[in-house]
Amino acid sequence: MAEPDVTGWDVREPDAQRTHDDGAPLDLRRTLSTLRRGPADPAYRRIGDDHWRVVRTPDGPATTLLRQVGPSAVRLQAWGPGAEHQAETLPRLLGLPVDDLPLAHPVVADARRRFPGLRVPSTGDVVGALVPAIIEQKVLGADAFLSWRQLLHRHGEPAPGPAPAGMRVPLAGAALAALPSWSWHHCGVDPKRYRTAQVATRMADALERLGPHDLLGAYRGLRSIPGIGVWTAAEVGSRAFGDTDAVPFGDYHLASTVGTALLGRRLEHDDEVAYVLEPFRPHRFVALRLMQLSPHVQVERRGARMSRVDHRGR
């Protein structure tokens, strides 16, 4: 079967559509880029200027097609039972303009000039952000992305509407909790991460009540789950809550990126990272993203690398 035409609009009459323009600079591609879990994510695909996302909403699955149609404007078309929900929550997804970022270093100030429309997305989907983050704990990104891809291809349902071929709907919390251990094992997820995911998905209803209205409480709730620490909670915060201050302490490349950008040398410990990032509070995550995007920051890749491990054979 030929793939649907995904280069234009109105490829099939949408169930909902909306255009949002808040008048502030917006870089849709870079703002949404953190939502994609690897280059072949079955739930996110970018084709030219079209951003396809498949999500599970409180009303059911939805396929969304987003395109930037102006310096501050985005148009959305959506299909499926959750289409109206996605249209209603589009402004939240795109995040708020960050107008008061402290430009405490010339590298950050330069990157801010280059990327004025960078924002932090806010999906509102806690479980949808948490499960991939758990899968990514302490493994190479390539292995985690493969596990996520296999999980969706084996157990996710086809995306509604005219989504590109191969796109899948992420599983609901209850469906993930019901998956037996060997299903996770066949997708390359080791027992420790499986147990964390099981506990978290069994609490899906409670987790979905967490949000940016009480960030401290939300992080406290996330970290109360065995196996979820500062890094995993921050990964959720920068996607589901739109938290502009969600620093992923413990990330393998964090010390190198921050140290190289701000001091010209690699840092060794998270307490050093926290100290040099302090002037950028309450937008430390935005500052970090700008460092990652800056053409002036070339992080030296040295030292021991994590080894690839195929947990399916264990």
Side-chain angles (χ1 to χ4, degrees), residues 222-234:
L222 285 169
R223 294 184 61 189
S224 69
I225 300 172
I228 296 179
V230 174
W231 181 86
T232 306

Side-chain angles (χ1 to χ4, degrees), residues 7 18 26 62 77 133 148 151 157 183 187 189 253 257 294 312:
T7 59
R18 177 171 183 174
L26 171 63
Q77 291 184 328
W148 174 247
L151 188 68
E157 61 188 277
S183 293
C187 295
V189 179
H253 298 296
T257 300
S294 172
R312 292 169 297 180

Side-chain angles (χ1 to χ4, degrees), residues 7-310:
T7 59
W9 292 91
D10 300 315
V11 290
R12 186 185 301 178
E13 186 67 23
D15 297 312
Q17 54 188 333
R18 177 171 183 174
T19 299
H20 177 71
D21 187 344
D22 60 13
L26 171 63
D27 185 335
L28 180 68
R29 180 169 68 87
R30 293 183 176 89
T31 294
L32 297 188
S33 65
T34 57
L35 302 182
R36 186 173 70 167
R37 303 291 186 164
D41 185 352
Y44 191 119
R45 189 169 302 176
R46 183 171 67 86
I47 303 175
D49 294 329
D50 293 340
H51 298 259
W52 291 87
R53 293 186 66 232
V54 183
V55 297
R56 185 171 293 279
T57 78
D59 299 326
T63 294
T64 63
L65 173 57
L66 300 104
R67 179 186 289 176
Q68 186 146 8
V69 293
S72 57
V74 169
R75 185 181 178 194
L76 170 144
Q77 291 184 328
W79 297 262
E84 288 288 351
H85 180 274
Q86 289 304 99
E88 292 171 2
T89 58
L90 177 61
R92 180 184 70 185
L93 171 68
L94 300 177
L96 297 173
V98 182
D99 297 324
D100 55 342
L101 174 69
L103 301 178
H105 191 280
V107 167
V108 175
D110 175 75
R112 183 59 171 170
R113 287 191 294 270
R114 293 173 183 268
F115 310 106
L118 179 68
R119 304 187 188 184
V120 179
S122 180
T123 66
D125 182 3
V126 178
V127 173
L130 178 57
V131 172
I134 292 171
I135 292 174
E136 292 170 14
Q137 290 177 346
K138 298 186 182 302
V139 295
L140 286 175
D143 291 334
F145 298 151
L146 176 60
S147 293
W148 174 247
R149 195 159 64 244
Q150 291 179 333
L151 188 68
L152 266 62
H153 279 309
R154 293 183 181 188
H155 303 288
E157 61 188 277
M167 295 198 75
R168 293 291 185 271
V169 182
L171 280 73
L176 285 164
L179 286 180
S181 60
W182 58 83
S183 293
W184 295 85
H185 180 76
H186 290 160
C187 295
V189 179
D190 64 86
K192 182 176 181 180
R193 288 178 292 155
Y194 154 71
R195 287 191 294 269
T196 300
Q198 280 281 292
V199 173
T201 52
R202 287 171 183 161
M203 301 173 60
D205 289 344
L207 289 174
E208 293 299 350
R209 291 194 289 270
L210 303 178
H213 56 279
D214 179 14
L215 277 176
L216 289 178
Y219 286 130
R220 191 161 51 243
L222 285 169
R223 294 184 61 189
S224 69
I225 300 172
I228 296 179
V230 174
W231 181 86
T232 306
E235 291 290 297
V236 174
S238 64
R239 293 173 172 87
F241 303 150
D243 183 5
T244 62
D245 205 46
V247 182
F249 289 109
D251 185 87
Y252 186 80
H253 298 296
L254 179 65
S256 293
T257 300
V258 173
T260 301
L262 303 183
L263 301 176
R265 60 178 175 82
R266 177 188 174 93
L267 297 175
E268 300 297 333
H269 306 290
D270 277 354
D271 56 352
E272 295 176 295
V273 175
Y275 179 80
V276 298
L277 283 179
E278 186 62 26
F280 300 100
R281 191 187 291 270
H283 301 305
R284 292 176 295 172
F285 178 73
V286 176
L288 173 62
R289 289 281 290 127
L290 290 170
M291 295 176 212
Q292 293 169 336
L293 292 170
S294 172
H296 302 300
V297 180
Q298 302 296 323
V299 178
E300 181 183 359
R301 306 294 185 182
R302 64 177 178 83
R305 295 299 303 270
M306 297 174 64
S307 300
R308 297 197 68 175
V309 179
D310 186 354

